Amino acid sequence: MPVEEIRAGGHFSNLRLLTTSTCRMRCGYPGEGVMWCHNEGMERNAIPEADLQRMLGIVEYFRDHHGIREVTLAGLQPRLDDGLIAFIERLRANDIKRVSLVTHGLKLIPWIPRLRDAGLSDVVLSMQGFDRHGYADIMGEDAFDNALRVIDHCRDLGLPVTVNRVLLRGYYEDIPDFLTWAVDRKLRVRLYDVLWMPGQDKHFLANHVSWQAIVHLWARMVERITVWTYGLPGRINVVFHLRGGASVETNVNAPKVQHTAPVCRSCALKDACAEGWLGCGIRITADYKITPCVLRPDLATPVVDGTGGYLRPSVLNPYLAGELHGTAGR
């Protein structure tokens, strides 16, 4: 089977914007009352919605100083309003080549045509099960039919769709049917191991299952493999290209013991961390902070000060490399 290996320096082509800290879903361990959702490093429902004009300034700053050309409007759940439509239009007008929306899909369907017309490039849908029972058990709300409608409506309008799914023990038997359905729609599927969070050892150990333990469920569908290695986050992504046009993407979740970022090498959580420094790109929270690690919110730093100025490159660049933390030298 053909295997292509690609090495990349990092995730810095992507800016991940969190416009709000609110979310209706409560993705957690079924029946245990404990959420595994990391809330993107924010305190859930505790931060006001971001001012999109200020967010636009942040994007322009990173475009000019770091060559950013891709923006992900990420969750918890991005706001859906006229302001977001105008924001996407401004991003595309400001030389942002790709704008993605991460969503659980609630209330999304009537907005999809306008999002596409504004310049949205693709939709990433969080869908933690391929049957109503499993979906509701994990996500805390029965919106399974809505998720299916979102995917088909996006496809009808020409918007590519990626499905994000976290694997849990006892909730993966639907994977073969799920992938057969995904192939029919030529979807990109990301299967993630559940992320360990501090204080959740018992729940994590009881519910964790690695994609490597269930790869046999799609092995016969694979026609080729691509392995992406990202140096700075210490992250390896494996993409299984399936016959028929769909794909399954996974992470090799090795602890970041040999991480290249100095802050990770000295971190007390490094043996359990599977994300790595800026593992999902440069994440900007709704209160205008860079949050490089969801396990260590104490390492977040404001990117905008009270006067509207930005973190100086002499401080920002070492910070992004994991060499300098906090706002010293602003």
Side-chain angles (χ1 to χ4, degrees), residues 1 218-225 239-243:
M1 181 180 300
W218 64 85
R220 294 184 179 180
M221 305 169 69
V222 180
E223 62 180 7
R224 60 187 177 90
I225 297 173
V239 182
F240 299 89
H241 303 274
L242 308 183
R243 286 187 297 274

Side-chain angles (χ1 to χ4, degrees), residues 178-245:
F178 172 52
L179 293 181
T180 298
W181 173 82
V183 167
D184 184 59
R185 286 158 176 77
K186 295 180 171 53
L187 301 180
R188 180 184 180 190
V189 175
R190 294 175 181 152
L191 298 179
Y192 294 111
D193 290 13
V194 66
L195 186 68
W196 173 86
M197 296 293 289
Q200 294 188 3
D201 294 32
K202 179 181 70 173
H203 307 283
F204 174 81
L205 292 173
N207 291 276
H208 174 265
V209 61
S210 173
W211 66 266
Q212 292 161 300
I214 63 172
V215 68
H216 63 279
L217 295 177
W218 64 85
R220 294 184 179 180
M221 305 169 69
V222 180
E223 62 180 7
R224 60 187 177 90
I225 297 173
T226 303
V227 180
W228 289 83
T229 300
Y230 297 92
L232 184 64
R235 187 172 184 149
I236 300 174
N237 285 13
V238 182
V239 182
F240 299 89
H241 303 274
L242 308 183
R243 286 187 297 274

Side-chain angles (χ1 to χ4, degrees), residues 21-22 42-48:
S21 68
T22 62
M42 295 185 294
E43 185 178 353
R44 176 177 286 252
N45 302 326
I47 303 173

